[in-house]
Amino acid sequence: MSYRELVRAVPPPFFLLGLIARLPFAITPLATLGLLHAATGSYTFAGAATAAQSIATAAGGIGLGFAADRFGPRVVGVAMALLNAACAAALAAATLGGRVAMAVAAVAVGVTQPAVGMLARVHWARLLRSTGRARLLPTALSY
């Protein structure tokens, strides 16, 4: 049960994609805070909107998990990534408008944020069980 065996169990791009796809999940709240502060000059508003975005990310994750179980992680992950990109563009555009538009757009970014780690774990479980390598699952889940 080593990472070497795990690498052989999946196509190599899966590891790289899994790493790169997790980066926006970590940086989005910080980027939102900086963007909204720059647009309004208020850390209070920027922090409140970012907090609402983070809560929306957690709430959206519940529906995302349900959808991934029902339709598969790849379909849901790609759809949410595209939708999230559109919402991020809307957030950038909303900085030209009022605070309500910015807050709504920030929440939309949060709700549509694809939880790549969760989707990858669903993929690992399906893949390893279907190929008879379920013993690698604990190692895969630690990635």
Short mmCIF file of all heavy atoms in Angstrom, two decimals, residues 113-138:
data_model
loop_
_atom_site.label_atom_id
_atom_site.label_comp_id
_atom_site.label_asym_id
_atom_site.label_seq_id
_atom_site.Cartn_x
_atom_site.Cartn_y
_atom_site.Cartn_z
N GLN A 113 -18.47 26.50 -5.98
CA GLN A 113 -17.07 26.07 -5.83
C GLN A 113 -16.99 24.55 -5.84
O GLN A 113 -17.52 23.89 -4.95
CB GLN A 113 -16.51 26.60 -4.50
CG GLN A 113 -15.07 26.24 -4.25
CD GLN A 113 -14.12 27.10 -5.06
OE1 GLN A 113 -14.30 28.30 -5.16
NE2 GLN A 113 -13.14 26.49 -5.63
N PRO A 114 -16.33 23.95 -6.84
CA PRO A 114 -16.24 22.49 -6.85
C PRO A 114 -15.29 21.99 -5.75
O PRO A 114 -14.16 22.45 -5.65
CB PRO A 114 -15.70 22.16 -8.24
CG PRO A 114 -15.15 23.43 -8.78
CD PRO A 114 -15.73 24.56 -8.00
N ALA A 115 -15.77 21.09 -4.94
CA ALA A 115 -14.95 20.49 -3.88
C ALA A 115 -14.12 19.37 -4.49
O ALA A 115 -14.49 18.20 -4.45
CB ALA A 115 -15.84 19.99 -2.76
N VAL A 116 -13.02 19.74 -5.09
CA VAL A 116 -12.21 18.81 -5.86
C VAL A 116 -11.70 17.65 -5.01
O VAL A 116 -11.68 16.51 -5.47
CB VAL A 116 -11.04 19.54 -6.55
CG1 VAL A 116 -10.14 18.57 -7.28
CG2 VAL A 116 -11.59 20.59 -7.51
N GLY A 117 -11.32 17.92 -3.78
CA GLY A 117 -10.84 16.83 -2.91
C GLY A 117 -11.90 15.77 -2.72
O GLY A 117 -11.64 14.57 -2.84
N MET A 118 -13.12 16.20 -2.46
CA MET A 118 -14.22 15.25 -2.28
C MET A 118 -14.49 14.49 -3.57
O MET A 118 -14.68 13.27 -3.57
CB MET A 118 -15.48 15.99 -1.84
CG MET A 118 -16.68 15.08 -1.70
SD MET A 118 -18.24 15.95 -1.76
CE MET A 118 -18.24 16.63 -3.39
N LEU A 119 -14.53 15.21 -4.69
CA LEU A 119 -14.80 14.55 -5.97
C LEU A 119 -13.69 13.56 -6.32
O LEU A 119 -13.97 12.48 -6.86
CB LEU A 119 -14.96 15.60 -7.07
CG LEU A 119 -16.16 16.52 -6.93
CD1 LEU A 119 -16.10 17.64 -7.96
CD2 LEU A 119 -17.46 15.75 -7.04
N ALA A 120 -12.46 13.91 -6.00
CA ALA A 120 -11.35 12.98 -6.27
C ALA A 120 -11.47 11.73 -5.42
O ALA A 120 -11.21 10.61 -5.89
CB ALA A 120 -10.01 13.67 -6.01
N ARG A 121 -11.89 11.89 -4.17
CA ARG A 121 -12.05 10.70 -3.31
C ARG A 121 -13.17 9.80 -3.81
O ARG A 121 -13.05 8.57 -3.75
CB ARG A 121 -12.28 11.14 -1.86
CG ARG A 121 -11.01 11.65 -1.21
CD ARG A 121 -11.17 11.92 0.26
NE ARG A 121 -11.90 13.13 0.57
CZ ARG A 121 -11.38 14.35 0.56
NH1 ARG A 121 -10.10 14.51 0.25
NH2 ARG A 121 -12.10 15.39 0.87
N VAL A 122 -14.24 10.37 -4.33
CA VAL A 122 -15.31 9.55 -4.93
C VAL A 122 -14.75 8.79 -6.13
O VAL A 122 -15.02 7.61 -6.30
CB VAL A 122 -16.52 10.44 -5.34
CG1 VAL A 122 -17.51 9.66 -6.19
CG2 VAL A 122 -17.19 11.02 -4.12
N HIS A 123 -13.97 9.49 -6.93
CA HIS A 123 -13.37 8.85 -8.11
C HIS A 123 -12.42 7.71 -7.69
O HIS A 123 -12.44 6.63 -8.27
CB HIS A 123 -12.62 9.88 -8.94
CG HIS A 123 -11.99 9.31 -10.16
ND1 HIS A 123 -12.72 8.91 -11.25
CD2 HIS A 123 -10.69 9.05 -10.46
CE1 HIS A 123 -11.89 8.43 -12.18
NE2 HIS A 123 -10.66 8.51 -11.71
N TRP A 124 -11.59 7.99 -6.68
CA TRP A 124 -10.67 6.95 -6.19
C TRP A 124 -11.44 5.71 -5.76
O TRP A 124 -11.08 4.60 -6.10
CB TRP A 124 -9.87 7.45 -4.99
CG TRP A 124 -8.68 8.29 -5.30
CD1 TRP A 124 -8.49 9.58 -4.92
CD2 TRP A 124 -7.51 7.91 -6.02
NE1 TRP A 124 -7.27 10.02 -5.38
CE2 TRP A 124 -6.65 9.02 -6.04
CE3 TRP A 124 -7.11 6.74 -6.65
CZ2 TRP A 124 -5.41 8.99 -6.67
CZ3 TRP A 124 -5.87 6.72 -7.27
CH2 TRP A 124 -5.05 7.82 -7.27
N ALA A 125 -12.47 5.91 -4.97
CA ALA A 125 -13.22 4.77 -4.44
C ALA A 125 -13.81 3.94 -5.57
O ALA A 125 -13.70 2.71 -5.58
CB ALA A 125 -14.33 5.26 -3.50
N ARG A 126 -14.43 4.59 -6.54
CA ARG A 126 -15.02 3.87 -7.67
C ARG A 126 -13.96 3.16 -8.49
O ARG A 126 -14.12 2.00 -8.86
CB ARG A 126 -15.80 4.83 -8.56
CG ARG A 126 -17.08 5.29 -7.97
CD ARG A 126 -17.83 6.19 -8.91
NE ARG A 126 -19.11 6.57 -8.34
CZ ARG A 126 -19.99 7.31 -8.94
NH1 ARG A 126 -19.74 7.79 -10.15
NH2 ARG A 126 -21.12 7.60 -8.37
N LEU A 127 -12.90 3.87 -8.80
CA LEU A 127 -11.85 3.31 -9.65
C LEU A 127 -11.16 2.12 -9.00
O LEU A 127 -11.02 1.06 -9.61
CB LEU A 127 -10.81 4.39 -9.98
CG LEU A 127 -9.62 3.90 -10.80
CD1 LEU A 127 -10.05 3.64 -12.22
CD2 LEU A 127 -8.50 4.93 -10.76
N LEU A 128 -10.75 2.26 -7.76
CA LEU A 128 -10.00 1.19 -7.11
C LEU A 128 -10.87 -0.03 -6.82
O LEU A 128 -10.39 -1.16 -6.93
CB LEU A 128 -9.34 1.72 -5.83
CG LEU A 128 -8.25 2.78 -6.07
CD1 LEU A 128 -7.74 3.33 -4.76
CD2 LEU A 128 -7.12 2.21 -6.91
N ARG A 129 -12.11 0.20 -6.47
CA ARG A 129 -13.00 -0.95 -6.24
C ARG A 129 -13.30 -1.68 -7.54
O ARG A 129 -13.38 -2.91 -7.56
CB ARG A 129 -14.28 -0.50 -5.55
CG ARG A 129 -14.05 -0.14 -4.10
CD ARG A 129 -15.33 0.23 -3.40
NE ARG A 129 -15.07 0.56 -2.01
CZ ARG A 129 -15.48 1.66 -1.41
NH1 ARG A 129 -16.23 2.54 -2.06
NH2 ARG A 129 -15.16 1.89 -0.16
N SER A 130 -13.48 -0.95 -8.63
CA SER A 130 -13.82 -1.59 -9.90
C SER A 130 -12.64 -2.34 -10.51
O SER A 130 -12.84 -3.24 -11.31
CB SER A 130 -14.33 -0.55 -10.90
OG SER A 130 -13.29 0.30 -11.32
N THR A 131 -11.42 -1.99 -10.13
CA THR A 131 -10.24 -2.67 -10.67
C THR A 131 -9.66 -3.70 -9.71
O THR A 131 -8.58 -4.22 -9.95
CB THR A 131 -9.15 -1.65 -11.05
OG1 THR A 131 -8.78 -0.91 -9.88
CG2 THR A 131 -9.61 -0.72 -12.15
N GLY A 132 -10.36 -3.96 -8.61
CA GLY A 132 -9.90 -4.95 -7.65
C GLY A 132 -8.73 -4.49 -6.80
O GLY A 132 -7.98 -5.32 -6.28
N ARG A 133 -8.56 -3.19 -6.67
CA ARG A 133 -7.45 -2.66 -5.89
C ARG A 133 -7.95 -1.90 -4.66
O ARG A 133 -7.37 -0.89 -4.25
CB ARG A 133 -6.61 -1.73 -6.75
CG ARG A 133 -5.94 -2.43 -7.90
CD ARG A 133 -5.18 -1.46 -8.74
NE ARG A 133 -4.38 -2.14 -9.72
CZ ARG A 133 -3.94 -1.58 -10.82
NH1 ARG A 133 -4.22 -0.32 -11.08
NH2 ARG A 133 -3.23 -2.27 -11.68
N ALA A 134 -9.02 -2.35 -4.08
CA ALA A 134 -9.63 -1.66 -2.94
C ALA A 134 -8.66 -1.53 -1.77
O ALA A 134 -8.79 -0.62 -0.95
CB ALA A 134 -10.89 -2.39 -2.51
N ARG A 135 -7.66 -2.38 -1.68
CA ARG A 135 -6.69 -2.30 -0.58
C ARG A 135 -5.87 -1.01 -0.65
O ARG A 135 -5.29 -0.57 0.35
CB ARG A 135 -5.77 -3.51 -0.58
CG ARG A 135 -4.89 -3.61 -1.80
CD ARG A 135 -4.00 -4.86 -1.79
NE ARG A 135 -3.21 -4.96 -2.99
CZ ARG A 135 -2.15 -4.22 -3.28
NH1 ARG A 135 -1.73 -3.31 -2.43
NH2 ARG A 135 -1.51 -4.37 -4.41
N LEU A 136 -5.84 -0.35 -1.83
CA LEU A 136 -5.11 0.91 -1.98
C LEU A 136 -5.96 2.12 -1.57
O LEU A 136 -5.45 3.24 -1.54
CB LEU A 136 -4.67 1.10 -3.43
CG LEU A 136 -3.58 0.17 -3.95
CD1 LEU A 136 -3.36 0.39 -5.44
CD2 LEU A 136 -2.29 0.38 -3.19
N LEU A 137 -7.21 1.89 -1.24
CA LEU A 137 -8.11 3.00 -0.94
C LEU A 137 -7.64 3.87 0.22
O LEU A 137 -7.66 5.10 0.11
CB LEU A 137 -9.53 2.49 -0.70
CG LEU A 137 -10.62 3.55 -0.67
CD1 LEU A 137 -10.61 4.41 -1.92
CD2 LEU A 137 -11.97 2.90 -0.50
N PRO A 138 -7.18 3.32 1.35
CA PRO A 138 -6.69 4.21 2.42
C PRO A 138 -5.53 5.11 1.98
O PRO A 138 -5.46 6.28 2.35
CB PRO A 138 -6.24 3.24 3.53
CG PRO A 138 -7.04 2.01 3.28
CD PRO A 138 -7.20 1.93 1.77
#
